[in-house]
Amino acid sequence: MSLSPAARNVLRSVAATLVPDGAADLDERVARKIASLPHAADRTELDLLLRLLDYRAMNLVLSGIPQPFTRMSPAQRERCLRGWATSRLPQRRKAFQALKRLTTVTHYTTPGAARAIGYPGPLGPPPATPKPIRPVAIERDTTLTCDVVIVGSGAGGGVVAAELAAAGKDVVVLEKGGYRNEADFTHLEGDALETMYDAGGLLATSDLGLVVLQGATLGGGTVINYTTSFPTPEPVRRQWAKEHYLPHFENAEFTRSLDAVARRIGVNTDHAKPSGRDQVLIRGLEQLGWHHGLLPRDVRNCPQDDACGYCGMGCRRGAKQSTLITYLQDAAQRGVRMVVNCDAHRVVIERSAATGVEARVGNFAVTVRAKAVVVAAGSVHSPALLLRSGVTLAALGRNLALHPATAVLADMEQDVRPWTGTVQAHYSDQFADLDSGYGFKFETAPIHPSLQALAAPWESAAGHRDRMAKLPRTAVVGILLRDRFGGRVRVDREGAAVVDYRLSRYDRAHLRHAIATAAEVLEAAGAREIWLPLARDVSYRPGGTEARQDWLGRVDAAGWGPNELLLVTFHQMASCRMGTNSAASVVDPEHRVWRTRGLYVADASTFPSASGVNPMLTVMAMAHRAAAVMVTH
């Protein structure tokens, strides 16, 4: 749905207020992004809110300015938007963040705007790497027949496809995203978001309180993740075995699967050369005497140089051992057929048995008839697919864990160039177990202009522009929270996945602890000014415990509600969780969906709870075991 003419007119003024030095067509590009939002309700809501901004009476009541937005002075427009950003009304904050994120990210992911803040952009053109996989060309309505059809090609689906093919099964893989390899990795942020991230990087929870970043490309999240390959922690394995009555997690069987997938993707700690970001983290941790360690990574011959910071847009060197260049190539060599740009609508279930999948590629229907169906579309889309298919289990879509992530950031005296170097090399588990295995990790992540634009508070155009200009000297301590209480995935009237999630009081207490201690790390590392990705500009200059405590009080006053503090999720888990009864879980201990023969789930959605570590290796190990189960059934 395109914006109405009245809404477009207001959007023009809003974009010019948020980014006065934006290109002449900035509002048009933002309008196109609004039109591509995954939910019709969000598009309709933004259209209405933009039109309401041009009502004199509405602005008088909400902002104290008795003028339509398009007739306000520049100072009045800033005051109006600032009021929306920090409003007590969640709906106004949601509207502001939607417009701020879309506009500032669109602006700063254009090469000219990025270079103006000291960001070099891509380090040369992509290599002319051939494409070894040949997806099935869909040029008409098509029916395929096979032993097993797999929906999804990431850490779960890719492993299952290769293992089943090795066992002699005829396999078809359906992937929502396209097929892109090293030759397509332009390392332009806007292009990467549009072509390799779900919903073009615009996916979020229903209240926009968390930005949901996940892959939508052949190879899934393994193509665009940060290569971190932690094995499932022993305490988590023990917890899943004891509390969820799943003893195989503590057995040698699961260990063998962990070892097998780690070998195939080359997990090692030999490629942990610290980036500028890591050096700041290490310096702060060592000054405080706190734990830090080397991150295990799934890379081979990784140069760990400036280009490595662009790995979230695809690894041009082929060093990252994603399923795209490991398990999916194994699968393709064994005859597995892959269909890309394929939107799976439903699993066909007849007489309590899964018999195939109905999907679409563009305007063409794709029907796959199979003896078994494996759903591996991730913790957002797997439950949505099952819900659209008529599965009615009480736990379906519930218990969603998101590892809510945020960061404490700092301006340093010297350049950090936070977009460069090893994507993640060091971490700290100093606070990983605050209570019964729940707490948080410290990690770093590359900061490119899009993340800085999301994080930087907007109280005025000049203030936001100043924060963006400090990108080269920005340091970050990333916070990865193991959340204990979850959310839910449901579907809207159109059948699209909707994510509902609100941080619990229990998890919020851990998050506040994380923010306080991350600030200590940055102080110890020599930060000049420390700030948070809040809607308000709440920063401080280090000056001892008193200055930090005063800052934390101002953080509390700024609020912890939706769209007051930026939260991002890179890891989605547990929405089709594994268990021992159909009342409290979606799949049994062998990945079979309760009460439906021949239907399996093999991705992070089957985790009994949040893993507390980057989940890729756990997903792959569970998928490896699931494939072995399927071969024997």
Side-chain angles (χ1 to χ4, degrees), residues 244-246 248-249 393 576-582 584-602 606-608 622 625-626 629 633:
H244 296 271
Y245 307 104
L246 299 166
H248 68 267
F249 281 112
L393 296 163
C576 298
R577 74 176 178 183
M578 182 180 288
T580 54
N581 69 81
S582 60
S585 60
V586 177
V587 300
D588 70 11
E590 297 187 333
H591 289 264
R592 299 174 296 196
V593 175
W594 292 106
R595 300 198 295 267
T596 307
R597 297 187 307 279
L599 181 57
Y600 298 80
V601 182
T606 62
F607 287 15
M622 291 176 73
R625 177 180 174 272
V629 167
H633 279 73

Side-chain angles (χ1 to χ4, degrees), residues 526-559:
R528 185 167 59 183
E529 183 182 32
I530 294 172
W531 57 283
L532 267 179
L534 287 158
R536 301 183 181 191
D537 189 358
V538 181
S539 60
Y540 79 104
R541 291 184 174 273
T545 303
E546 188 175 332
R548 187 168 62 253
Q549 289 303 319
D550 172 74
W551 173 70
L552 285 169
R554 289 185 287 124
V555 169
D556 289 335

Side-chain angles (χ1 to χ4, degrees), residues 2 11 35 58 88 252 311 324 356 412 429 441 479 482 614 621 626:
S2 298
L11 178 61
M58 179 67 67
R88 292 182 180 179
C311 210
L324 181 66
M412 307 300 290
D429 266 348
K441 280 180 128 57
I479 295 164
R482 186 186 184 206
N614 306 56

Side-chain angles (χ1 to χ4, degrees), residues 485-622:
F485 299 99
R488 178 189 177 195
V489 176
R490 55 186 171 88
V491 292
D492 63 15
R493 292 180 180 180
E494 298 175 313
V498 178
V499 179
D500 297 325
Y501 187 96
R502 187 68 60 86
L503 199 66
S504 70
R505 185 172 297 181
Y506 174 90
D507 293 321
R508 190 170 66 198
H510 285 175
L511 184 62
R512 190 182 188 277
H513 190 174
I515 286 169
T517 49
E520 283 190 69
V521 173
L522 287 167
E523 283 189 33
R528 185 167 59 183
E529 183 182 32
I530 294 172
W531 57 283
L532 267 179
L534 287 158
R536 301 183 181 191
D537 189 358
V538 181
S539 60
Y540 79 104
R541 291 184 174 273
T545 303
E546 188 175 332
R548 187 168 62 253
Q549 289 303 319
D550 172 74
W551 173 70
L552 285 169
R554 289 185 287 124
V555 169
D556 289 335
W560 296 88
N563 299 300
E564 290 177 323
L565 172 68
L566 175 70
L567 295 173
V568 179
T569 168
F570 300 94
H571 310 149
Q572 303 82 37
M573 300 154 285
S575 55
C576 298
R577 74 176 178 183
M578 182 180 288
T580 54
N581 69 81
S582 60
S585 60
V586 177
V587 300
D588 70 11
E590 297 187 333
H591 289 264
R592 299 174 296 196
V593 175
W594 292 106
R595 300 198 295 267
T596 307
R597 297 187 307 279
L599 181 57
Y600 298 80
V601 182
D603 58 24
S605 72
T606 62
F607 287 15
S609 67
S611 61
V613 298
N614 306 56
M616 179 180 67
L617 206 66
T618 302
V619 177
M620 298 179 86
M622 291 176 73

Side-chain angles (χ1 to χ4, degrees), residues 131-134 150 153-171 173 179 218-219 260-266 300 321-338 620 624:
K131 287 187 167 69
I133 297 172
R134 295 285 179 264
I150 302 169
S153 64
V159 172
V160 173
E163 292 297 319
L164 291 182
K169 301 292 185 182
D170 181 15
V171 178
V173 174
Y179 175 27
L218 190 64
V261 296
R263 279 194 305 273
R264 180 64 188 91
I265 63 172
R300 289 188 168 97
Q321 301 298 292
S322 65
T323 61
L324 181 66
I325 66 171
T326 55
Y327 281 99
L328 289 175
Q329 288 200 24
D330 296 347
Q333 289 167 7
R334 292 184 174 114
V336 171
R337 290 167 286 170
M338 302 180 200
M620 298 179 86
H624 183 273

Side-chain angles (χ1 to χ4, degrees), residues 339-363:
V339 184
V340 298
N341 299 308
C342 184
D343 190 6
H345 175 63
R346 75 181 185 103
V347 177
V348 180
I349 299 174
E350 299 170 333
R351 296 183 181 142
S352 300
T355 59
V357 173
E358 291 180 354
R360 296 197 72 82
V361 174
N363 294 323

Side-chain angles (χ1 to χ4, degrees), residues 173-526:
V173 174
L174 307 180
E175 168 54 49
K176 179 182 179 181
Y179 175 27
R180 288 175 170 78
N181 78 335
E182 295 87 342
D184 305 300
F185 300 156
T186 65
H187 287 177
L188 292 165
E189 275 199 282
D191 177 61
L193 289 168
E194 186 68 31
T195 60
M196 292 193 288
Y197 284 76
D198 197 9
L202 300 177
L203 194 65
T205 53
S206 56
D207 61 6
L208 299 192
L210 276 95
V211 176
V212 180
L213 291 174
Q214 57 183 23
T217 186
L218 190 64
T222 70
V223 177
I224 49 89
N225 71 14
Y226 295 154
T227 74
T228 300
S229 305
F230 286 113
T232 320
E234 290 297 331
V236 173
R237 292 177 62 173
R238 188 162 53 249
Q239 185 182 51
W240 289 354
K242 299 294 190 285
E243 294 182 14
H244 296 271
Y245 307 104
L246 299 166
H248 68 267
F249 281 112
E250 278 197 298
N251 293 348
E253 172 193 20
F254 186 67
T255 301
R256 284 194 297 271
S257 286
L258 275 170
D259 292 343
V261 296
R263 279 194 305 273
R264 180 64 188 91
I265 63 172
V267 175
N268 67 87
T269 55
D270 299 330
H271 294 80
K273 177 183 176 183
S275 66
R277 288 170 280 106
D278 289 302
Q279 290 171 29
V280 172
L281 177 68
I282 293 166
R283 187 163 68 243
L285 290 167
E286 289 186 343
Q287 284 280 73
L288 294 166
W290 291 351
H291 165 267
H292 69 84
L294 303 178
L295 277 164
R297 303 176 59 219
D298 64 318
V299 295
R300 289 188 168 97
N301 302 316
C302 175
Q304 306 166 85
D305 59 13
D306 282 359
C308 291
Y310 294 76
C311 210
M313 305 175 222
C315 174
R316 287 180 174 180
R317 271 85 173 251
K320 183 194 297 186
Q321 301 298 292
S322 65
T323 61
L324 181 66
I325 66 171
T326 55
Y327 281 99
L328 289 175
Q329 288 200 24
D330 296 347
Q333 289 167 7
R334 292 184 174 114
V336 171
R337 290 167 286 170
M338 302 180 200
V339 184
V340 298
N341 299 308
C342 184
D343 190 6
H345 175 63
R346 75 181 185 103
V347 177
V348 180
I349 299 174
E350 299 170 333
R351 296 183 181 142
S352 300
T355 59
V357 173
E358 291 180 354
R360 296 197 72 82
V361 174
N363 294 323
F364 302 119
V366 176
T367 302
V368 185
R369 295 174 181 160
K371 299 172 186 175
V373 175
V374 179
V375 176
S379 296
V380 173
H381 295 299
S382 285
L385 176 59
L386 294 177
L387 287 165
R388 290 195 299 270
S389 305
V391 176
T392 57
L393 296 163
L396 180 57
R398 299 186 182 274
N399 309 298
L400 175 71
L402 292 179
H403 277 176
T406 191
V408 180
L409 301 104
D411 300 333
M412 307 300 290
E413 292 288 348
Q414 305 296 325
D415 277 1
V416 178
R417 300 172 70 239
W419 59 85
T420 64
T422 310
V423 283
Q424 289 184 324
H426 286 250
Y427 74 102
S428 174
D429 266 348
Q430 182 70 28
F431 303 100
D433 187 359
L434 296 176
D435 175 51
S436 304
Y438 288 88
F440 53 87
K441 280 180 128 57
F442 288 144
E443 299 177 352
T444 73
I447 305 296
H448 293 266
S450 64
L451 279 179
Q452 184 87 339
L454 284 174
W458 193 98
E459 291 191 340
S460 69
H464 189 269
R465 184 170 54 238
D466 179 63
R467 182 64 70 194
M468 294 301 299
K470 294 176 180 176
L471 175 62
R473 294 193 174 187
T474 297
V476 58
V477 174
I479 295 164
L480 184 68
L481 183 74
R482 186 186 184 206
D483 46 337
R484 186 170 189 170
F485 299 99
R488 178 189 177 195
V489 176
R490 55 186 171 88
V491 292
D492 63 15
R493 292 180 180 180
E494 298 175 313
V498 178
V499 179
D500 297 325
Y501 187 96
R502 187 68 60 86
L503 199 66
S504 70
R505 185 172 297 181
Y506 174 90
D507 293 321
R508 190 170 66 198
H510 285 175
L511 184 62
R512 190 182 188 277
H513 190 174
I515 286 169
T517 49
E520 283 190 69
V521 173
L522 287 167
E523 283 189 33

